[in-house]
Amino acid sequence: EVDRLRRRVRNAIEDAKGHLRVFCRVRPLSEKELEMDEEVVVRMVDNMKIELPRNGVFTFDGVFAAGQQEEVFEECRDLVQSTVDGHNVTIFAYGQTGAGKTYTLHGTPQEEGIAGRAISELFQILKRFQQSSNAARSFVVSASMFELYRNRLVDLLRRPEKRAKSPPCSPPCSPKLSLRSSESGLQVDNLAEEEVEGAMQLKRLLSRGLAARSTAPNALNAESSRSHLLFTIKVTSTDGQNPLSGKLVLCDLGGSERLKKSEATGEQLKEAIEINRSLTALGDVIEAVAERKRQVPYRNHKLTQLLQDSLGGTSKTLMFVNCSPARCNLHETAMSLNYALRAKRVVNAVPSRKVWASR
């Protein structure tokens, strides 16, 4: 009973922080920007405010001026526990190409991002629970990963040897994935979902999916992501009587820059147009939810359908808006910050629900 009370108190603390929190991360100047002798124009006022010339001060739940990966993950750590406790958690990264979205979520082999650290934290929590709990509760962890490429869902966890040959720069061939509503929420039919037994196995699965993602060079990044990426970790448990299920969704959104800024042409131009169209639809949903409108246009795009339970639903959600500090990107930075402020106005409705005890 003491553990149950502790769990409820911890969940109440997370709810008090806000069901949708927005953080800003400003990367250092890139090598290209340093070579161009670009000026730093983004000023960190304090750990919650940044200032832009001619745009004023922007206030968020937290601001990281670059910052270490561990420091950023600390804002997410407790939400991994929420996933184990049966809640839906969504963490997504927004910003222009080259602003650090993928680095924030996925990091590098030497410096893990939120995803790798969340995986390690998840299995540490499960190990502690199984060692300390008297309840005979068993856990199953599974994962899926897909990208939304030009409004088409592409499974990234299909074994490479099972994929049909694809033209260069095309996403891998995949069975047709379709969206379907069910009692448990929106489902992606035909999506591969693999069970894992440990952190290293899940990290290898993540690396396999990232390697299959669609990328292409543009004026802002030599390896720009050309799609929205969703990596989902599901945790289900039961003690024989009370099944419980939670999920952690990590969403790496495509670059938000203007078409002129990316200098995209040909197929890359079509990709950029589709990314902008989907982000506009997401912005419309954010605005409708923030203003408590009766009709929210979730069905206007597959991206907004996929994120429906993250915005206005029952999910605990974190958004990281990633920015460049350079003067040459000032307009894109201001657009990203204004977009993030719209998201900050969203208040998710989270009903009370039964939770079980853990340490």
Side-chain angles (χ1 to χ4, degrees), residues 138-185:
S138 60
F139 294 88
V140 176
V141 178
S142 61
S144 61
M145 192 176 194
F146 62 90
E147 65 178 343
L148 183 59
Y149 175 81
R150 290 175 62 173
N151 208 32
R152 181 163 70 90
L153 299 173
V154 181
D155 193 336
L156 297 179
L157 292 186
R158 297 192 69 223
R159 295 287 180 181
E161 63 269 21
K162 293 183 181 179
R163 292 194 187 112
K165 291 184 178 180
S166 303
C169 301
S170 295
C173 183
S174 169
K176 184 177 180 180
L177 304 180
S178 57
L179 300 179
R180 174 176 58 85
S181 295
S182 68
E183 291 183 1
S184 59

Side-chain angles (χ1 to χ4, degrees), residues 103-275:
Y103 177 72
T104 293
L105 285 184
H106 301 294
T108 65
Q110 298 75 30
E111 195 75 26
E112 283 188 322
I114 291 172
R117 294 170 190 271
I119 289 170
S120 296
E121 179 72 10
L122 168 63
F123 282 95
Q124 288 174 10
I125 290 172
L126 297 184
K127 182 179 180 180
R128 288 196 299 268
F129 182 83
Q130 291 170 328
Q131 289 176 342
S132 64
S133 176
N134 294 323
R137 182 169 287 273
S138 60
F139 294 88
V140 176
V141 178
S142 61
S144 61
M145 192 176 194
F146 62 90
E147 65 178 343
L148 183 59
Y149 175 81
R150 290 175 62 173
N151 208 32
R152 181 163 70 90
L153 299 173
V154 181
D155 193 336
L156 297 179
L157 292 186
R158 297 192 69 223
R159 295 287 180 181
E161 63 269 21
K162 293 183 181 179
R163 292 194 187 112
K165 291 184 178 180
S166 303
C169 301
S170 295
C173 183
S174 169
K176 184 177 180 180
L177 304 180
S178 57
L179 300 179
R180 174 176 58 85
S181 295
S182 68
E183 291 183 1
S184 59
L186 195 69
Q187 303 293 323
V188 182
D189 285 338
N190 300 318
L191 179 65
E193 185 173 317
E194 299 190 21
E195 290 188 9
V196 294
E197 296 183 354
M200 290 308 300
Q201 185 183 1
L202 184 50
K203 288 181 181 180
R204 286 194 294 269
L205 201 69
L206 171 62
S207 297
R208 195 176 92 209
L210 289 174
R213 188 180 188 183
S214 301
T215 62
N218 67 15
L220 296 173
N221 194 346
E223 198 169 305
S224 171
S225 301
R226 310 313 303 153
S227 64
H228 305 301
L229 178 74
L230 281 84
F231 176 56
T232 302
I233 303 171
K234 291 184 180 179
V235 182
T236 57
S237 64
T238 182
D239 59 2
Q241 296 180 339
N242 303 305
L244 201 61
S245 179
K247 67 178 180 179
L248 171 62
V249 179
L250 298 170
C251 180
D252 184 2
L253 295 169
S256 61
E257 66 277 351
R258 296 165 295 163
L259 298 180
K260 180 180 179 181
K261 187 72 174 180
S262 67
E263 298 180 10
T265 59
E267 289 301 307
Q268 292 179 39
L269 177 60
K270 294 178 183 178
E271 294 166 349
I273 289 173
E274 187 53 51
I275 289 173

Side-chain angles (χ1 to χ4, degrees), residues 311-322:
L311 296 166
T314 61
S315 177
K316 299 176 187 293
T317 306
L318 288 185
M319 175 181 183
F320 285 89
V321 54
N322 295 263

Side-chain angles (χ1 to χ4, degrees), residues 1 89 131 250 300 318 327 330:
E1 184 62 35
V89 175
Q131 289 176 342
L250 298 170
N300 282 2
L318 288 185
R327 181 173 290 279
L330 179 59

